[in-house]
Structure formats: C-alpha cells, structure tokens
Amino acid sequence: MIHALTLILACQLAGEALTRFFGWPAPGPVLGMALLFALMLASARLAALVTPTGEGILRHLSLLFVPAGVGVVGHLQQLGAYGLGFALVLVVSTVLALAVGAGAFVAVARLTGDKGDRDA
Amino acid sequence: MREFAEIWSYLAASPLIWLSATLIAYLIGDALAQAAGRAPLVNPVLVAVILLAALLWGTQTSYATYFEGAQFVHFLLGPATVALAIPLWHQRHAVRRAFLPVCAALLAGSVTAVLSALAIGYALGLSPQLLATLAPKSTTAPVALGISESLGGSPTLTAVLVILTGMIGAIVVTPLMNALRIRDWRARGFAVGVAAHGIGTARAFQVNPQAGAFAGIGMALNAMLTAFLAPWALGLFL
C-alpha cells in the first residue's frame, strides 16, 4: 500500500513540476494521471501493485468534494443579484451538455457499427 | 468535570474535530443515499455539505477554521485524480474500441457546455466579466480557475459555479439518460465526466464501474479542450 501511495504521489509531483516548468494549461494531477497511465501500460506488474490502493481512494471520490462544497455555501451570496440567472444557466447548460454529449457518443457508436461492450 | 465551553474551545482549535465532522457528515450522507436506493437527489456530497454548513453556522465557526481540518480530505483530490488512470487502464481496450465515439462526444459535449452557458448568460444580460467567470464551469476546479483568471473573470465565483455544476450534473444525469433511453454505460459516463467533472465522475462510479472509467476520461479530456475552447467561445459574445 505504501508503495502504491508513493507511486501515486510521485506521479502527481512530477505532473505539478512539469506543468509549472513548461507553463502548460493542464493541472498537475491531470498530467500525473497521464503519467501513471503510461507507467501502467509499460508494466503490468506495476499496474497490479497500484490497483487496490488506487481503487480504495476512488471508492469514496465523492467525500473529497465535501470541503470545497462547504466553501461554496459561504460564497452563495456572491452570486448576488444574478443568483436566479446563474441557476438557470447552470441547469439548462448542464442538461444540454449531458444530452448532446451522450447523444453524440451513441450516434457515432452506431455509425461505426459499435455494439458496445456486451462481451466485457 | 471541566466546563463544556472549555473542552469545546480546546477541540474547536484543533483540526481533528472538523476532519471527523467531515467524515461523519459524509457517512451520514452515504447511508441516506443507500437507504434511498441511490436516488439521484439524495446525493452524498449534497447531504454532507448541507449538514456541515448548518453545523458551522450553528457553532459560529468560520470556513477557515473548518478548512484547517478538512484540508486533509481536500488534499486527496490530487492523488484521486492521478488514480483515475487505474480504471482507465483496466478499460483501455474498451476505450480504444470507442475512439471515434469518444472524440465525437468530447467535442459535442464540451462545445455545448461552454457555448450554451455563454449564450444563455448573454441573453440574460450578464457582463463580459461574468461571462468569462461562467465559461469554464464544466471543467475540473483547478483548470477552471486558471481559465477564468486568464479570461478576466473572477476565480472565486468560478469555483462556486464549478461545484454547483458538478452537483447539478450528478443529480440530473440518471433521470435524464433514462428519459433519453441512453443505456450505453460508456456514453452515460463519458457525458457526465465532460459536463460535470469530478462530482459527476464520482456519481458515475457509484452507478457502474465502466461509466466511472469513461467519466474520468471525459473529465480529463474536457479540462484540456476547454482551456483552448473557452477563449474562442468567449470572443463570440464580446
């Protein structure tokens, strides 16, 4: 577990260092994710090592958003006069993005003769 | 026996109490969500946030004090993002097979998220600064803040909009996809990752592991695409 945790943190650290160094718009952890993925592709042993710990962290991914969510409550009045307008924008735009995104996925999957992963 | 106020003033100053409170609030939220059969509206994050906000308000505790304890949980967002490589690796063959649908859904979902938000905001008469604040709302928080800042928006307000978008997406996705009769877990997961970043991804993992893996990819790819897309899209409305 300590090995897996070290590997994950090292990937994040390398990701943070690289984005800072090159001034990339991608955040450090996203680059760290790409890095860890590359390492797992390179070594199946490493993939097996990191899987249980990583899945443990991800099992309660929701929990990790709670502190930031509590921070939002204090800032709700910042929405100010536009509160209702913002609410409308967020709900409509999110519903549209979900519907169009999933619709595009299904449509292109059908066009390319992809039947999904019934076998997986 | 010591006075309660004395014990409280000692505990309230240490990170332990708010770290514990965060975990307990989440466990209550998760238990309620389970009892409700994972009904979308009983979202564990939403329940925990409401409980903790009420507790902070009731005890007159500042967010800064709360965050001294909660930061240990908050910190794990970084490693968790890195760990998204793991489901991606396990689903790598499924992802490679779905290369074209993934590209199409990324482009369609990302463009829709940015353009629809700007168009509705513009129609409601939001100022250019508020539009810049709104543009990256579907992107994962650290990227969204950077985009907002570089466009001349307000990063703190963007953070609020990002979290709210995530919660809306996590609540809406299941009933919406059922209504649209989209049953492909890959499509459902990928779309919620693009539209509602990590909070949507967390919801996807609760529903189906394949949906979760595709949501993680959607979130990561959308973060990169929006960084390029948002300045262009904002230019259309200025």
Side-chain angles (χ1 to χ4, degrees), chain A residues 23-36:
Chain A
W24 286 336
V30 169
L31 203 65
M33 170 188 166
L35 217 58
L36 179 60

Side-chain angles (χ1 to χ4, degrees), chain B:
Chain B
M1 224 176 97
R2 297 237 197 144
E3 289 290 322
F4 174 76
E6 205 179 317
I7 300 173
W8 170 255
S9 67
Y10 168 74
L11 283 179
S14 93
L16 179 63
I17 188 167
W18 295 113
L19 179 58
S20 314
T22 303
L23 290 170
I24 292 167
Y26 174 74
L27 287 176
I28 294 173
D30 199 47
L32 286 180
Q34 217 144 31
R38 296 263 167 229
L41 205 58
V42 193
N43 182 282
V45 184
L46 189 62
V47 174
V49 165
I50 292 171
L51 287 175
L52 287 165
L55 189 63
L56 291 187
W57 182 78
T59 57
Q60 291 293 301
T61 306
S62 73
Y63 182 68
T65 308
Y66 165 75
F67 197 75
E68 268 170 44
Q71 62 177 324
F72 301 104
V73 169
H74 183 77
F75 171 78
L76 284 173
L77 273 176
T81 306
V82 175
L84 285 173
I86 293 161
L88 174 58
W89 183 81
H90 286 282
Q91 295 282 340
R92 65 196 183 283
H93 301 300
V95 174
R96 192 177 306 150
R97 273 201 298 273
F99 180 73
L100 287 177
V102 159
C103 291
L106 171 65
L107 206 61
S110 192
V111 169
T112 308
V114 177
L115 279 188
S116 66
L118 289 176
I120 302 167
Y122 184 78
L124 292 174
L126 296 186
S127 69
Q129 200 223 348
L130 286 177
L131 289 180
T133 304
L134 189 61
K137 59 117 178 75
S138 283
T139 321
T140 184
V143 188
L145 302 195
I147 295 173
S148 168
E149 200 162 22
S150 71
L151 295 179
S154 148
T156 32
L157 190 53
T158 295
V160 176
L161 298 176
V162 165
I163 299 273
L164 290 175
T165 300
M167 292 200 195
I168 292 168
I171 289 169
V172 144
V173 60
T174 303
L176 179 68
M177 293 300 155
N178 288 345
L180 294 173
R181 290 162 206 262
I182 293 175
R183 292 188 195 86
D184 190 329
W185 287 119
R186 304 169 305 164
R188 294 169 73 124
F190 192 81
V192 82
V194 169
H197 55 90
I199 303 183
T201 301
R203 166 72 189 175
F205 270 116
Q206 283 167 357
V207 177
N208 178 282
Q210 194 174 44
F214 273 79
I217 310 159
M219 178 186 80
L221 293 177
N222 183 52
M224 299 182 206
L225 183 58
T226 307
F228 296 100
L229 206 64
W232 165 79
L234 187 64
L236 296 178
F237 291 92
L238 294 183

